[in-house]
């Protein structure tokens, strides 16, 4: 009567708070997800949640199934890992590089969770790299690269993790602070603060300013997100960051944020892996863990289609 897919759907509905976002999370249309839940309620002969509430409010029956999901699904994952070890797929090396300064917020808990379940796999983030990560991946110097800028390389697979929106952070008293979105011309007289990377790797340039032929008055760099926020809050510039990286500063009302253009600038974060590594059970588990962890700790992201 109750299937694993039902439990996964209920957890997605609880975590996202809406049918639309839950459907995206489990890769169903909203209609298919609604039909699945209605079918389950008919089987059980009782409602599981209250319609037209946001966030979704669960009935006592729904809460009971959520408790079951929290118990059963992790046990299934652990059993799958144990069986993979029995099949001899536990040994490996996972050396990775990160082309994303703000990724540590979700990547560190992902690595900690992975190490607990795959202690035999050597995990490392080599420091002091003096090479381009993606070509190094192709040369087998690395095993995985987190990137938002995929390049066509032989034998490299780009596994989408999630979609994110790049947003402009400004001081609370900035003239743009009350705008829902900006246009490229709004940055002509602004100092744009960025991470110390090439402009060709930044969405604010490649997908917002350059197509419009616009350049900011000045650019300056900062190594850390916290340093960038301090500069923005003190009116020494503005900066474009992924929406999840701005969450804590927006919640504290430290800065304001607006979209880049009416529709916003949305990008996709990928895990780049060599094709021959995709067959490794522990690699598949790392990618799955990364995706699940990012949705549990980040706000504003969407599933990658």
């Amino acid at each position: 009567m109750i299937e694993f897919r039902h439990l996964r759907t209920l957890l997605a509905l609880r975590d996202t708070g809406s049918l639309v976002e839950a459907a995206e999370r489990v890769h169903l249309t909203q209609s298919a997800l609604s039909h699945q839940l209605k079918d389950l309620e008919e089987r059980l002969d009782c409602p599981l949640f209250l319609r037209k509430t946001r966030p979704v409010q669960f009935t006592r029956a729904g809460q009971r199934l959520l408790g079951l999901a929290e118990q059963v699904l992790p046990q299934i994952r652990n059993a799958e890992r144990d069986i993979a070890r029995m099949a001899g797929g536990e040994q490996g090396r996972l050396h990775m590089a990160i082309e994303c300064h703000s990724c540590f917020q979700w990547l560190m808990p992902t690595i900690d969770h992975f190490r607990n379940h795959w202690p035999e796999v050597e995990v490392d983030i080599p420091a002091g790299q003096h090479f381009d990560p993606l070509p190094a991946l192709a040369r087998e110097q690395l095993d995985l690269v987190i990137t938002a800028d995929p390049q066509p390389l032989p034998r490299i697979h780009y596994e989408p993790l999630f979609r994110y929106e790049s947003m402009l952070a400004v001081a609370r008293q900035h003239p743009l602070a009350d705008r829902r979105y900006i246009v490229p011309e709004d940055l002509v007289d602004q100092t744009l603060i960025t991470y110390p990377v090439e402009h060709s790797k930044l969405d604010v340039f490649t997908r917002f300013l350059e197509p419009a032929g616009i350049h900011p008055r000045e650019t300056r760099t900062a190594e850390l997100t916290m340093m960038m926020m301090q500069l923005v809050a003190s009116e020494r510039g503005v900066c474009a960051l992924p929406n999840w990286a701005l969450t804590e500063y927006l919640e504290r009302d430290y800065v304001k944020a607006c979209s880049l253009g009416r529709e916003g600038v949305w990008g996709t974060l990928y895990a780049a892996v060599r094709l021959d590594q995709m067959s490794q059970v522990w690699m598949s588990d790392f990618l799955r863990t990364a995706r699940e962890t990012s949705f549990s700790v980040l706000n504003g992201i969407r599933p990658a289609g």
Side-chain angles (χ1 to χ4, degrees):
M1 182 180 294
I2 300 171
E3 303 174 18
F4 292 139
R5 64 191 179 103
H6 297 141
L7 300 181
R8 294 189 181 98
T9 296
L10 288 173
L11 283 182
L13 187 58
R14 181 200 64 185
D15 293 343
T16 62
S18 79
L19 287 170
V20 174
E21 295 179 26
E24 289 185 339
R25 179 78 64 88
V26 297
H27 305 290
L28 293 174
T29 64
Q30 184 180 349
S31 174
L33 182 136
S34 297
H35 180 76
Q36 182 189 118
L37 292 171
K38 186 175 185 296
D39 176 63
L40 178 59
E41 289 177 324
E42 289 177 352
R43 295 189 197 187
L44 299 173
D45 195 26
C46 65
L48 298 176
F49 63 96
L50 303 179
R51 265 66 176 178
K52 298 182 180 179
T53 60
R54 187 176 176 90
V56 171
Q57 296 181 23
F58 289 88
T59 63
R60 290 181 62 189
Q63 292 172 357
R64 177 65 181 88
L65 286 186
L66 285 173
L68 177 65
E70 291 173 340
Q71 291 179 339
V72 170
L73 294 181
Q75 292 183 36
I76 296 295
R77 284 290 300 276
N78 288 338
E80 291 172 343
R81 293 184 179 107
D82 290 342
I83 292 171
R85 289 190 181 90
M86 294 174 190
E90 72 276 7
Q91 296 295 330
R93 183 197 77 168
L94 183 55
H95 289 187
M96 67 183 75
I98 306 163
E99 291 188 338
C100 170
H101 282 65
S102 50
C103 282
F104 286 95
Q105 184 177 348
W106 61 268
L107 186 59
M108 290 301 101
T110 295
I111 292 175
D112 290 342
H113 187 79
F114 180 79
R115 279 180 171 144
N116 289 336
H117 291 94
W118 296 94
E120 305 89 346
V121 177
E122 177 192 342
V123 181
D124 192 18
I125 304 178
Q129 299 168 2
H130 301 290
F131 47 74
D132 291 334
L134 288 173
L137 174 66
R139 296 193 300 268
E140 301 188 14
Q141 293 175 268
L142 295 170
D143 307 297
L144 183 146
V145 175
I146 303 297
T147 181
D149 185 31
Q151 302 174 19
L153 292 172
R155 301 186 302 117
I156 300 300
H157 168 75
Y158 293 93
E159 180 72 14
L161 298 176
F162 56 81
R163 298 182 66 223
Y164 63 91
E165 183 182 8
S166 293
M167 302 192 73
L168 189 77
V170 300
R172 290 181 300 169
Q173 59 274 25
H174 195 281
L176 299 175
D178 295 326
R179 299 269 290 276
R180 187 178 68 84
Y181 68 90
I182 65 164
V183 296
E185 289 77 10
D186 290 324
L187 297 185
V188 168
D189 60 350
Q190 300 294 319
T191 296
L192 184 60
I193 305 165
T194 72
Y195 292 118
V197 299
E198 299 174 10
H199 291 179
S200 61
K201 294 184 179 296
L202 297 173
D203 288 343
V204 66
F205 285 100
T206 61
R207 301 180 56 193
F208 187 64
L209 293 175
E210 292 175 1
I214 299 296
H215 302 277
R217 179 187 62 193
E218 181 183 355
T219 60
R220 63 178 297 179
T221 62
E223 290 279 351
L224 303 175
T225 303
M226 182 174 62
M227 295 170 57
M228 299 172 76
M229 291 298 97
Q230 290 175 347
L231 293 170
V232 169
S234 59
E235 298 187 83
R236 285 182 281 179
V238 300
C239 73
L241 289 175
N243 50 1
W244 87 78
L246 293 173
T247 299
E248 65 173 296
Y249 303 100
L250 296 175
E251 290 177 346
R252 290 161 43 195
D253 200 27
Y254 195 63
V255 297
K256 298 289 186 181
C258 47
S259 295
L260 301 177
R262 184 186 297 272
E263 304 299 326
V265 171
W266 285 82
T268 301
L269 198 68
Y270 298 88
V273 183
R274 288 190 305 280
L275 285 172
D276 61 296
Q277 291 282 69
M278 290 296 295
S279 61
Q280 298 287 349
V281 178
W282 52 263
M283 179 64 82
S284 297
D285 191 60
F286 180 85
L287 297 175
R288 182 176 174 182
T289 300
R291 191 177 292 109
E292 291 177 349
T293 302
S294 62
F295 277 99
S296 68
V297 303
L298 302 179
N299 293 326
I301 63 174
R302 297 177 180 175

